Structures are given as C-alpha cells and as structure tokens.
Amino acid sequence: MTYDFTPLFRSAIGFDRLARMAGNAANAQAVPSYPPYNIEKTGDTDYALTMALAGFGPENVEVTLEDNTLVIRGSVPENCKNRDWLHRGIATRAFERRFALAEHIEIERADLMNGMLSISVKHLVPEVAKPRRIAIGTGTVSSGQNITSPTAEPSSQAA
C-alpha cells in the first residue's frame, strides 16, 4: 500500500523525511515482539526507553546511534549455550531493535540493571528552531533594489 503525500507538500515545507518514514512504516513487515519494551514521556522534552533483557549483561548488549536511528543489539550470553534445559521460559535469543529518532534527539545515557535496559532520551530544540518574532520593516521595494533591513524600533525620521 502506498500513500500520496502530495496534499501535504502543498502547504508544508521540509516534511519529505516524515513522508518517507510513514511510507516505510506502512510497507514494513510484522514488527517483532522480542524483547518487550516501553517508551515513556518523562518531561516536556525527555523520554525513557525501557527494554526487558532478562539474562543479558552489559557485555551482551550494544546500543548505537546510526543516522537518526537508535539500534539495540543483543547476543546470546555464553553461559546459556551449553546447558541441559528442562524448561526454558526466559528467552535469551539474539535480537536487534531499531527506533527512528526525530531531528535533534540526543541519547543521554543507557543503563542495564536488574535485567532492564533504560535509555534516557532528550529532544534538544536548537535556538534557530524556537519560536521567534520577525520584525517588520518599513522599507519599500522597487525593481532592482533590496529590501531595507528591519529595525527593532520605529524610525524617528520625519517624512
């Protein structure tokens, strides 16, 4: 199934990456359910990703940031391979999970404690992206001339 984002592009600028991500999500195959995880909004610009990794130690897990994608990989712990299991209800199979990140997302830290991987994420809004007032100048435009730069205060010149 494909989506036509042409109406969006008529009134929005710079959303081509978002449209591409939406198209990729629609075309993606079934998302694996292992390992289970939570994504929580912990503040205005703060998020927490928590992943249940019972049986994994820090040496078995790799967290990387690759081109606005958070990638979490886990390998099977060595002490689980050569055992004679009577029942194995705790999965420790290898995995890879990917999370698409928005622009200006920073990974603050990752901790693995008591079988839970916790990743702190922060959305940093750069000054240039914050709302700002645009001053309106009083200059005129004629053919071949540049617009005079706006001033913060009204001009005190008499006409």
Side-chain angles (χ1 to χ4, degrees):
M1 171 184 265
T2 57
Y3 295 97
D4 181 17
F5 291 101
T6 305
L8 173 68
F9 295 138
R10 288 185 197 133
S11 61
I13 300 170
F15 287 91
D16 51 328
R17 183 173 181 268
L18 179 64
R20 193 170 52 249
M21 283 177 35
N24 289 344
N27 295 331
Q29 296 177 358
V31 177
S33 62
Y34 177 80
Y37 64 92
N38 294 332
I39 300 175
E40 176 184 6
K41 186 170 176 118
T42 58
D44 288 340
T45 60
D46 299 322
Y47 301 87
L49 169 65
T50 307
M51 187 173 286
L53 298 179
F56 287 85
E59 67 278 1
N60 307 117
V61 180
E62 180 182 284
V63 178
T64 57
L65 186 59
E66 302 171 2
D67 190 32
N68 285 350
T69 301
L70 177 63
V71 181
I72 304 169
R73 293 181 184 95
S75 58
V76 178
E78 289 297 321
N79 63 354
C80 292
K81 289 183 179 178
N82 297 326
R83 292 187 176 178
D84 188 17
W85 298 99
L86 297 178
H87 170 74
R88 188 167 184 190
I90 300 173
T92 52
R93 60 185 178 265
F95 69 90
E96 180 178 302
R97 295 300 296 247
R98 294 178 170 267
F99 299 90
L101 302 177
E103 295 291 324
H104 312 297
I105 292 289
E106 179 180 292
I107 306 300
E108 291 188 314
R109 69 176 215 272
D111 297 306
L112 181 61
M113 188 166 47
N114 297 327
M116 300 297 280
L117 175 66
S118 298
I119 300 175
S120 298
V121 180
K122 187 170 198 71
H123 185 207
L124 300 174
V125 180
E127 286 298 319
V128 71
K130 291 181 180 176
R132 65 187 187 282
R133 184 169 185 200
I134 308 298
I136 300 173
T138 57
T140 59
V141 178
S142 63
S143 179
Q145 290 183 339
N146 291 332
I147 298 176
T148 58
S149 58
T151 57
E153 298 182 359
S155 176
S156 60
Q157 296 175 352

